Amino acid sequence: MENFGAIPVFVAVIENGGFSAAAEKLGISKSAVSKRINKLETHLGVRLLHRTTRKLSLTEAGERYFERAKQALLAVNQAEDAVTELQGEPQGTLKISAPMSFGRLHMAPLIPKLLKRYPKLQVSLIMDDRKIDLIAEGYDVAIRSGYHLSDSTLIARKLTPLHQVLCASPDYLKQHGVPKIPNELREHNCVLFSYSSDTNEWTLNKKDLSETVKVSGNYQVNNSEALLEALKQGIGIGRLPTFVAGSDLRARRLIKVLDSYHIPSQNFYAIYPEREYLPAKVRVFIDFAIEYFGGDHPYWDIE
């Protein structure tokens, strides 16, 4: 048991792909990581890693040890979670991942209110649109939309709906006309969101009918707030989430287009690793987020 402290170091080396990355993740020096691994190998009497200047890989013994080491770390984390459930106030560091636009517009004002309610919490909020490995990168929870759980070790809990609308500025519609049916979108300059899985194919529903229109335009961008700015300046018609466009729609700086149709909606989810005991810090954050956003009726959709 004297080398139990080397287990998280060994696991970090494998999950992060090397000594340097593990050292950065753990907040220790590369030499300290190397010494821990060497000491562990000496204690076990086997080589766990094949080391070359270009590649690090597990030996057969290393593969067996890695699987058991992950289970041991999971057991330790679950034990800590079980104890923290007995504490009167959530505490510790909560590492959260959120999409850039949603994070800036709605997570950024939420976090200070969360910390006022739970002052013993520490929050690390990372806003990034890239796909992350929740477990390997050490996140406690991620906020994602329309999430498909390909990893069976993750849990998803619905936070709030995500609605989208087609909209344009009053000046654009005055100059170019208002489309009456989805097919007329082909005649308009459409501003496109490049991160969407259906960037230039917009689906609109009305009662039991569903229409998909192939659209085009002279501007494509990977950020919803940049798309919003283009629409307000009269570039064209765009598809925006209401969490971005809500205030401009209420102020009539933007006008809904084809309002009798609706775009298939999604949801925002809190994604977190499956554990026997959900850490109190994660539980209170999710409950607080649902309360703050408004549950099934998010505040940004109120007209």
Side-chain angles (χ1 to χ4, degrees):
M1 292 296 290
E2 63 179 285
N3 285 283
F4 187 82
I7 290 178
V9 177
F10 175 70
V11 171
V13 168
I14 306 308
E15 291 185 338
N16 292 276
F19 284 29
S20 297
E24 183 177 354
K25 176 69 182 291
L26 297 169
I28 60 178
S29 67
K30 182 180 176 181
S31 62
V33 171
S34 181
K35 287 178 182 178
R36 293 277 186 93
I37 300 302
N38 288 337
K39 186 176 180 181
L40 180 62
E41 288 180 325
T42 300
H43 171 74
L44 295 172
V46 295
R47 183 171 291 278
L48 299 173
L49 300 168
H50 293 300
R51 302 169 178 82
T52 68
T53 55
R54 293 184 177 181
K55 188 177 180 181
L56 190 72
S57 61
L58 288 166
T59 64
E60 181 181 358
E63 289 178 356
R64 292 189 178 189
Y65 191 80
F66 179 58
E67 290 304 315
R68 299 299 188 276
K70 286 197 300 182
Q71 293 175 14
L73 272 186
L74 178 61
V76 170
N77 288 333
Q78 289 183 343
E80 290 179 353
D81 295 344
V83 171
T84 57
E85 283 293 312
L86 299 176
Q87 296 172 340
E89 188 174 356
Q91 55 189 289
T93 300
L94 179 67
K95 187 176 180 183
I96 306 168
S97 169
M100 183 61 72
S101 291
F102 186 76
R104 197 190 71 78
L105 293 172
H106 301 288
M107 291 294 296
L110 175 152
I111 297 302
K113 293 177 176 61
L114 176 73
L115 291 173
K116 286 180 180 179
R117 183 176 293 188
Y118 303 106
K120 291 185 179 180
L121 275 182
Q122 294 180 332
V123 173
S124 174
L125 174 63
I126 294 86
M127 294 183 284
D128 196 335
D129 289 327
R130 70 184 176 87
K131 188 176 181 180
I132 65 165
D133 186 325
L134 196 69
I135 297 175
E137 297 184 44
Y139 285 94
D140 294 294
V141 61
I143 309 302
R144 291 293 181 265
S145 62
Y147 202 80
H148 174 68
L149 287 177
S150 57
D151 188 339
S152 61
T153 65
L154 299 176
I155 301 294
R157 182 176 171 190
K158 178 184 170 183
L159 294 178
T160 193
L162 191 167
H163 299 126
Q164 297 187 82
V165 294
L166 294 183
C167 52
S169 72
D171 287 344
Y172 175 87
L173 296 174
K174 183 178 180 180
Q175 182 177 354
H176 298 278
V178 180
K180 300 295 191 298
I181 59 174
N183 200 49
E184 291 182 3
L185 290 169
R186 300 175 188 270
E187 303 167 11
H188 287 266
N189 190 53
C190 294
V191 186
L192 307 177
F193 182 64
S194 56
Y195 275 174
S196 174
S197 60
D198 54 352
T199 300
N200 65 337
E201 291 187 346
W202 294 354
T203 298
L204 296 166
N205 296 334
K206 187 175 184 180
K207 296 182 179 179
D208 295 330
L209 298 177
S210 180
E211 295 186 55
T212 299
V213 182
K214 192 165 186 177
V215 297
S216 61
N218 62 3
Y219 186 29
Q220 181 170 306
V221 65
N222 69 346
N223 180 270
S224 294
E225 292 173 272
L227 199 157
L228 171 71
E229 187 61 33
L231 297 187
K232 289 198 292 184
Q233 293 196 34
I235 296 300
I237 296 175
R239 183 177 60 178
L240 276 177
T242 54
F243 74 78
V244 173
S247 60
D248 288 292
L249 290 168
R250 287 190 292 273
R252 305 293 289 177
R253 290 185 290 267
L254 291 176
I255 306 297
K256 290 182 183 179
V257 174
L258 295 170
D259 197 19
S260 61
Y261 294 80
H262 69 273
I263 299 171
S265 61
Q266 299 179 327
N267 293 305
F268 273 114
Y269 295 95
I271 314 296
Y272 52 92
E274 182 178 18
R275 289 178 171 178
E276 184 178 354
Y277 296 96
L278 181 64
K281 61 184 179 182
V282 175
R283 175 175 48 78
V284 298
F285 163 71
I286 294 173
D287 290 344
F288 187 85
I290 293 172
E291 173 191 334
Y292 178 81
F293 296 145
D296 287 333
H297 305 283
Y299 65 79
W300 51 81
D301 280 349
I302 298 174
E303 297 185 5

